[in-house]
Amino acid sequence: NDVKIIRKNNNLMLIGNEEDTRMNLVYFFMREINHYNLSDYQNFFDTVDLEQIKDYTKEFYRSKDISVKDVEILSSVMHVAIMFERIQQNNFINNITVNDLDSEHYSLAKEYYEGIKDRLTIALDDNELAYFGMMFAGNVSKVSDEEVENLSNLIDTVFVQIKENYGFDFAQD
Protein backbone atom coordinates (compact mmCIF):
# COMPACT_ATOMS: atom_id res chain seq x y z
CA ASN A 1 0.00 0.00 0.00
CA ASP A 2 2.11 2.83 -1.35
CA VAL A 3 -0.06 5.93 -1.21
CA LYS A 4 1.29 9.34 -0.33
CA ILE A 5 -0.72 12.30 0.90
CA ILE A 6 0.33 15.66 -0.49
CA ARG A 7 -1.10 19.12 -0.07
CA LYS A 8 -1.77 21.16 -3.20
CA ASN A 9 -3.78 24.40 -3.38
CA ASN A 10 -5.12 23.86 0.15
CA ASN A 11 -6.37 20.39 -0.81
CA LEU A 12 -5.09 17.02 0.28
CA MET A 13 -4.41 14.59 -2.53
CA LEU A 14 -3.67 10.90 -2.49
CA ILE A 15 -0.89 9.88 -4.85
CA GLY A 16 -0.40 6.21 -5.67
CA ASN A 17 -1.79 3.45 -7.82
CA GLU A 18 -5.54 3.61 -8.31
CA GLU A 19 -6.42 0.42 -6.46
CA ASP A 20 -4.50 1.49 -3.33
CA THR A 21 -5.92 5.01 -3.54
CA ARG A 22 -9.47 3.67 -3.61
CA MET A 23 -8.80 1.31 -0.72
CA ASN A 24 -7.38 4.17 1.35
CA LEU A 25 -10.39 6.33 0.61
CA VAL A 26 -12.78 3.55 1.62
CA TYR A 27 -10.75 2.97 4.78
CA PHE A 28 -10.90 6.68 5.61
CA PHE A 29 -14.66 6.91 5.17
CA MET A 30 -15.33 3.69 7.07
CA ARG A 31 -13.21 4.95 9.98
CA GLU A 32 -14.90 8.36 9.91
CA ILE A 33 -18.48 7.18 9.57
CA ASN A 34 -19.78 6.46 13.04
CA HIS A 35 -23.44 6.47 12.10
CA TYR A 36 -25.48 5.54 9.07
CA ASN A 37 -26.56 9.00 7.88
CA LEU A 38 -24.97 9.12 4.45
CA SER A 39 -26.16 12.65 3.80
CA ASP A 40 -23.39 13.85 6.13
CA TYR A 41 -20.84 12.51 3.63
CA GLN A 42 -22.54 13.50 0.38
CA ASN A 43 -20.53 16.73 0.13
CA PHE A 44 -17.37 14.64 -0.44
CA PHE A 45 -18.84 13.41 -3.74
CA ASP A 46 -19.49 15.56 -6.80
CA THR A 47 -20.95 13.07 -9.24
CA VAL A 48 -22.68 10.30 -7.27
CA ASP A 49 -25.68 10.22 -4.96
CA LEU A 50 -24.95 8.10 -1.88
CA GLU A 51 -28.62 7.55 -0.99
CA GLN A 52 -29.36 6.39 -4.52
CA ILE A 53 -26.48 3.92 -4.33
CA LYS A 54 -27.59 2.73 -0.89
CA ASP A 55 -31.19 2.20 -2.02
CA TYR A 56 -30.13 0.27 -5.11
CA THR A 57 -27.56 -1.77 -3.17
CA LYS A 58 -30.14 -2.82 -0.57
CA GLU A 59 -32.64 -3.61 -3.32
CA PHE A 60 -30.03 -5.66 -5.19
CA TYR A 61 -28.94 -7.67 -2.15
CA ARG A 62 -32.59 -8.30 -1.22
CA SER A 63 -33.41 -9.48 -4.77
CA LYS A 64 -30.48 -11.92 -4.64
CA ASP A 65 -31.41 -13.07 -1.13
CA ILE A 66 -27.96 -12.00 0.08
CA SER A 67 -27.94 -11.30 3.79
CA VAL A 68 -25.59 -8.50 4.84
CA LYS A 69 -25.17 -6.36 7.92
CA ASP A 70 -25.75 -2.60 7.91
CA VAL A 71 -22.02 -1.95 8.05
CA GLU A 72 -21.53 -4.17 4.98
CA ILE A 73 -24.18 -2.16 3.10
CA LEU A 74 -22.35 0.99 4.12
CA SER A 75 -19.02 -0.46 2.99
CA SER A 76 -20.54 -1.49 -0.35
CA VAL A 77 -22.00 1.98 -0.84
CA MET A 78 -18.65 3.63 -0.11
CA HIS A 79 -16.79 1.24 -2.45
CA VAL A 80 -19.26 1.89 -5.27
CA ALA A 81 -19.38 5.66 -4.67
CA ILE A 82 -15.60 5.99 -4.59
CA MET A 83 -15.19 3.75 -7.62
CA PHE A 84 -17.74 5.68 -9.68
CA GLU A 85 -16.47 9.07 -8.50
CA ARG A 86 -12.89 8.17 -9.37
CA ILE A 87 -13.96 6.91 -12.82
CA GLN A 88 -15.81 10.18 -13.44
CA GLN A 89 -12.51 11.94 -12.63
CA ASN A 90 -10.73 9.74 -15.21
CA ASN A 91 -8.91 7.61 -12.65
CA PHE A 92 -9.07 4.00 -13.79
CA ILE A 93 -7.89 0.60 -12.66
CA ASN A 94 -5.46 -0.76 -15.26
CA ASN A 95 -4.14 -4.25 -15.91
CA ILE A 96 -5.92 -5.87 -13.01
CA THR A 97 -5.11 -9.51 -12.42
CA VAL A 98 -8.14 -11.52 -11.52
CA ASN A 99 -6.88 -14.99 -10.77
CA ASP A 100 -9.19 -15.76 -7.89
CA LEU A 101 -12.35 -14.13 -9.20
CA ASP A 102 -14.95 -16.78 -9.88
CA SER A 103 -17.78 -16.46 -12.35
CA GLU A 104 -20.37 -16.06 -9.57
CA HIS A 105 -18.83 -12.84 -8.25
CA TYR A 106 -18.17 -11.54 -11.74
CA SER A 107 -21.80 -12.24 -12.65
CA LEU A 108 -23.02 -10.46 -9.52
CA ALA A 109 -20.88 -7.45 -10.37
CA LYS A 110 -22.11 -7.39 -13.93
CA GLU A 111 -25.74 -7.69 -12.89
CA TYR A 112 -25.36 -4.99 -10.22
CA TYR A 113 -23.70 -2.72 -12.77
CA GLU A 114 -26.45 -3.34 -15.36
CA GLY A 115 -29.03 -2.24 -12.80
CA ILE A 116 -27.27 0.90 -11.62
CA LYS A 117 -25.50 2.21 -14.73
CA ASP A 118 -28.51 4.11 -16.05
CA ARG A 119 -29.26 5.66 -12.67
CA LEU A 120 -25.72 6.99 -12.31
CA THR A 121 -24.72 7.22 -15.99
CA ILE A 122 -21.44 5.36 -15.62
CA ALA A 123 -19.49 3.12 -17.97
CA LEU A 124 -17.17 0.37 -16.78
CA ASP A 125 -14.50 -1.27 -18.91
CA ASP A 126 -13.36 -4.88 -18.39
CA ASN A 127 -10.72 -3.94 -15.78
CA GLU A 128 -13.22 -1.94 -13.75
CA LEU A 129 -15.83 -4.67 -13.99
CA ALA A 130 -13.27 -7.21 -12.78
CA TYR A 131 -12.33 -4.88 -9.90
CA PHE A 132 -16.03 -4.57 -9.11
CA GLY A 133 -16.28 -8.37 -9.06
CA MET A 134 -13.40 -8.49 -6.59
CA MET A 135 -15.37 -6.12 -4.35
CA PHE A 136 -18.28 -8.57 -4.44
CA ALA A 137 -15.91 -11.41 -3.61
CA GLY A 138 -14.99 -9.51 -0.45
CA ASN A 139 -18.54 -8.59 0.48
CA VAL A 140 -20.48 -11.72 -0.44
CA SER A 141 -19.72 -14.87 1.45
CA LYS A 142 -20.43 -18.20 -0.13
CA VAL A 143 -22.27 -20.44 2.31
CA SER A 144 -23.51 -23.73 0.98
CA ASP A 145 -26.92 -25.16 1.85
CA GLU A 146 -25.11 -27.93 3.71
CA GLU A 147 -23.25 -25.41 5.88
CA VAL A 148 -26.53 -23.61 6.64
CA GLU A 149 -28.14 -26.92 7.58
CA ASN A 150 -25.19 -27.88 9.81
CA LEU A 151 -25.29 -24.52 11.56
CA SER A 152 -29.05 -24.76 12.03
CA ASN A 153 -28.65 -28.24 13.56
CA LEU A 154 -25.92 -26.99 15.88
CA ILE A 155 -28.11 -24.12 17.08
CA ASP A 156 -31.03 -26.50 17.68
CA THR A 157 -28.72 -28.79 19.69
CA VAL A 158 -27.45 -25.88 21.78
CA PHE A 159 -31.04 -24.76 22.49
CA VAL A 160 -31.99 -28.28 23.62
CA GLN A 161 -28.94 -28.46 25.92
CA ILE A 162 -29.72 -25.05 27.43
CA LYS A 163 -33.31 -26.11 28.08
CA GLU A 164 -32.21 -29.41 29.66
CA ASN A 165 -29.47 -27.85 31.81
CA TYR A 166 -30.97 -24.47 32.72
CA GLY A 167 -34.69 -24.64 31.99
CA PHE A 168 -34.68 -21.82 29.45
CA ASP A 169 -36.52 -22.61 26.22
CA PHE A 170 -34.99 -20.44 23.51
CA ALA A 171 -36.43 -22.67 20.79
CA GLN A 172 -39.81 -21.01 21.31
CA ASP A 173 -38.47 -17.49 20.57
Side-chain angles (χ1 to χ4, degrees):
N1 197 336
D2 235 359
V3 175
K4 293 178 178 37
I5 301 172
I6 63 167
R7 184 177 178 158
K8 183 177 180 182
N9 299 328
N10 285 332
N11 289 312
L12 295 178
M13 298 175 63
L14 297 177
I15 306 297
N17 76 46
E18 185 59 22
E19 192 170 353
D20 287 344
T21 299
R22 291 180 190 183
M23 293 310 294
N24 277 281
L25 287 167
V26 169
Y27 177 77
F28 167 76
F29 280 109
M30 293 306 295
R31 295 275 305 178
E32 288 297 311
I33 296 175
N34 53 11
H35 53 86
Y36 298 113
N37 188 0
L38 289 175
S39 63
D40 291 346
Y41 304 95
Q42 184 61 58
N43 62 334
F44 289 100
F45 298 90
D46 295 326
T47 61
V48 296
D49 181 334
L50 297 178
E51 287 295 329
Q52 192 175 30
I53 294 171
K54 181 184 86 172
D55 292 344
Y56 179 74
T57 301
K58 289 170 78 172
E59 174 187 317
F60 181 79
Y61 283 149
R62 207 172 11 260
S63 75
K64 296 294 171 197
D65 202 28
I66 298 171
S67 178
V68 293
K69 299 174 184 149
D70 286 344
V71 72
E72 292 168 317
I73 292 283
L74 185 59
S75 176
S76 294
V77 168
M78 296 315 295
H79 275 284
V80 170
I82 289 166
M83 177 184 182
F84 287 2
E85 185 85 5
R86 299 287 296 169
I87 290 169
Q88 293 289 355
Q89 297 167 350
N90 293 318
N91 296 297
F92 303 100
I93 298 282
N94 295 314
N95 302 321
I96 196 162
T97 55
V98 188
N99 298 332
D100 298 327
L101 183 60
D102 60 36
S103 61
E104 178 185 358
H105 292 120
Y106 185 81
S107 294
L108 279 173
K110 195 169 185 177
E111 191 172 339
Y112 180 99
Y113 167 65
E114 289 297 322
I116 203 168
K117 73 178 180 181
D118 294 331
R119 299 174 193 209
L120 297 178
T121 317
I122 191 82
L124 298 183
D125 66 14
D126 290 340
N127 284 319
E128 293 290 351
L129 201 51
Y131 175 76
F132 203 30
M134 288 174 33
M135 289 179 0
F136 269 101
N139 286 325
V140 180
S141 63
K142 295 195 301 194
V143 179
S144 69
D145 291 339
E146 182 180 331
E147 290 172 309
V148 170
E149 182 66 29
N150 288 343
L151 183 57
S152 179
N153 290 338
L154 174 65
I155 290 170
D156 289 343
T157 302
V158 169
F159 283 166
V160 167
Q161 290 176 352
I162 289 172
K163 182 178 179 185
E164 289 173 357
N165 292 326
Y166 302 103
F168 297 112
D169 191 1
F170 290 114
Q172 299 300 318
D173 290 338

